[in-house]
């Protein structure tokens, strides 16, 4: 049996991380990240970004990610930020979705 394509494996990991953290608050929606769920995601999965003592940065990051301002980060918003992050890591500016 052949290995799954690398991009499929990587996307599966990104989806799994979102689902894991979005489900942490049993009272909140399982398909969206609250600020409290985003904080440990950023601390663990983004090299310590948003760790304690950095509340202002966390607030700024949450506002950036919550593009529709509903107080939650949904999967599309999460992936948009990851796309921008990937572009920055790849030395390319991210200007949003092409029309
Ligand atoms: Ca949102």
């Amino acid at each position: 049996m052949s290995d799954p394509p690398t991009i499929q494996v990587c996307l599966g990991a990104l989806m799994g991380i979102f689902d894991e953290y979005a489900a942490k608050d049993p009272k909140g929606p399982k398909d969206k990240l609250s600020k409290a769920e985003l904080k440990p995601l950023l601390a663990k999965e983004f090299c310590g970004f948003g760790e304690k003592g950095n509340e202002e940065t966390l607030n700024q990051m949450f506002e950036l990610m919550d593009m529709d301002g509903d107080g939650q980060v949904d999967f599309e918003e999460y992936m948009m930020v990851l796309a921008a992050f990937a572009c920055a890591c790849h030395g390319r500016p991210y200007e949003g979705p092409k029309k």
Side-chain angles (χ1 to χ4, degrees), residues 70-93:
D70 70 350
Q72 301 279 325
V73 173
D74 64 25
F75 186 71
E76 184 177 351
E77 291 167 332
Y78 164 81
M79 289 304 295
M80 294 286 283
V81 169
L82 289 180
F85 187 67
C87 287
C89 289
H90 207 238
R92 291 165 165 77

Side-chain angles (χ1 to χ4, degrees), residues 3-20:
D3 292 333
T6 303
I7 289 177
Q8 185 177 324
V9 172
C10 293
L11 286 174
L14 295 175
M15 291 185 280
I17 289 168
F18 179 88
D19 290 344
E20 175 189 342

